Amino acid sequence: AQSVTQLDSQVPVFEEAPVELRCNYSSSVSVYLFWYVQYPNQGLQLLLKYLSGSTLVKGINGFEAEFNKSQTSFHLRKPSVHISDTAEYFCAVHNYGQNFVFGPGTRLSVLP
Amino acid sequence: DVKVTQSSRYLVKRTGEKVFLECVQDMDHENMFWYRQDPGLGLRLIYFSYDVKMKEKGDIPEGYSVSREKKERFSLILESASTNQTSMYLCASSLSTKNYGYTFGSGTRLTVV
């Protein structure tokens, strides 16, 4: 069965510092990859997605992610974070015709 | 913009009550999903539906049922609420291909006392 790993459950970082949130998945077939953000007491909002083409994907709020097929990874990065980026981030994967599989989430805390 | 609307943000119910959580989407999406979210457990799929009157069990369907009488509406029913069903409930919808991702509602935080 498909699985998604987000190794870091919590990531504290100072404001204006860079951040990388890691996501690894298990699949032997082509997949579609997504990152979602959840602000406190809200639903999930799509940050970016990889379907095909360029392996570097840019999303909203200055985030980007890189698809690495050989390492089955889809890490999320931002060069300079803001206090407002404090939220929980979920990586998700799906194979064609299947439901999404979500990772357990990474809580990003941006400190002043 | 696709909108997924969950009728209640916060709900408090008593043990044994029948609870209805309503979800409506306005972009003609074929697929609809109900998840619950608990600290440390991430998102867990309760039920999903790919079409009107169609429903499929997800990973944790016990204690829940669903109804999809119209394409835009997907209801989650707790037949007899219990304290272990206290949770955040998230509704989502998508096109049939799912390639554009899921669109989520704002969530309903249910407390069963």
Side-chain angles (χ1 to χ4, degrees):
Chain A
Q2 184 80 267
S3 68
V4 178
T5 304
Q6 292 181 247
L7 284 173
D8 306 303
S9 60
Q10 297 189 57
V11 174
V13 63
F14 286 108
E15 195 173 16
E16 297 184 7
V19 71
E20 180 178 81
L21 306 183
R22 296 180 290 169
C23 172
N24 288 88
Y25 64 93
S26 66
S27 177
S28 58
V29 299
S30 296
V31 294
Y32 305 116
L33 298 153
F34 301 79
W35 274 100
Y36 284 85
V37 59
Q38 184 182 32
Y39 299 105
N41 292 313
Q42 294 189 26
L44 278 67
Q45 178 184 352
L46 183 64
L47 264 181
L48 50 78
K49 61 181 181 283
Y50 171 79
L51 302 181
S52 64
S54 172
T55 56
L56 185 63
V57 180
K58 294 191 185 298
I60 62 170
N61 301 340
F63 283 92
E64 63 180 31
E66 186 153 21
F67 170 56
N68 187 318
K69 189 174 181 179
S70 62
Q71 297 186 7
T72 60
S73 68
F74 190 53
H75 300 332
L76 181 70
R77 296 192 291 256
K78 187 169 182 179
S80 175
V81 294
H82 304 290
I83 297 285
S84 59
D85 292 323
T86 293
E88 190 148 21
Y89 292 80
F90 293 90
C91 182
V93 171
H94 97 92
N95 297 329
Y96 183 78
Q98 303 298 313
N99 286 335
F100 276 36
V101 176
F102 287 89
T106 296
R107 186 171 298 279
L108 174 66
S109 298
V110 181
L111 310 169
Chain B
D1 266 2
V2 178
K3 269 222 158 105
V4 178
T5 303
Q6 295 184 233
S7 53
S8 305
R9 291 298 304 274
Y10 300 93
L11 214 50
V12 181
K13 294 292 181 181
R14 296 198 181 277
T15 300
E17 276 193 80
K18 191 169 187 175
V19 181
F20 292 86
L21 302 184
E22 305 288 347
C23 176
V24 177
Q25 50 93 5
D26 65 359
M27 280 299 290
D28 206 34
H29 280 179
E30 293 84 5
N31 303 334
M32 296 189 76
F33 307 85
W34 275 106
Y35 288 87
R36 65 176 283 176
Q37 183 181 19
D38 301 287
L41 297 177
L43 278 72
R44 293 183 290 169
L45 182 62
I46 305 171
Y47 267 96
F48 60 97
S49 169
Y50 288 164
D51 202 352
V52 176
K53 302 220 186 262
M54 178 269 181
K55 59 186 178 184
E56 292 281 348
K57 292 179 180 179
D59 300 318
I60 52 162
E62 297 78 19
Y64 303 93
S65 63
V66 290
S67 172
R68 192 158 182 209
E69 296 295 318
K70 293 185 178 181
K71 190 175 185 179
E72 67 270 19
R73 184 181 296 271
F74 193 36
S75 304
L76 180 69
I77 303 155
L78 286 65
E79 296 290 343
S80 177
S82 63
T83 55
N84 63 12
Q85 293 178 309
T86 291
S87 186
M88 170 72 109
Y89 289 87
L90 294 168
C91 176
S93 72
S94 78
L95 291 168
S96 58
T97 65
K98 306 191 192 93
N99 288 0
Y100 295 97
Y102 291 3
T103 300
F104 283 85
S106 298
T108 295
R109 188 165 292 282
L110 172 67
T111 301
V112 183
V113 299

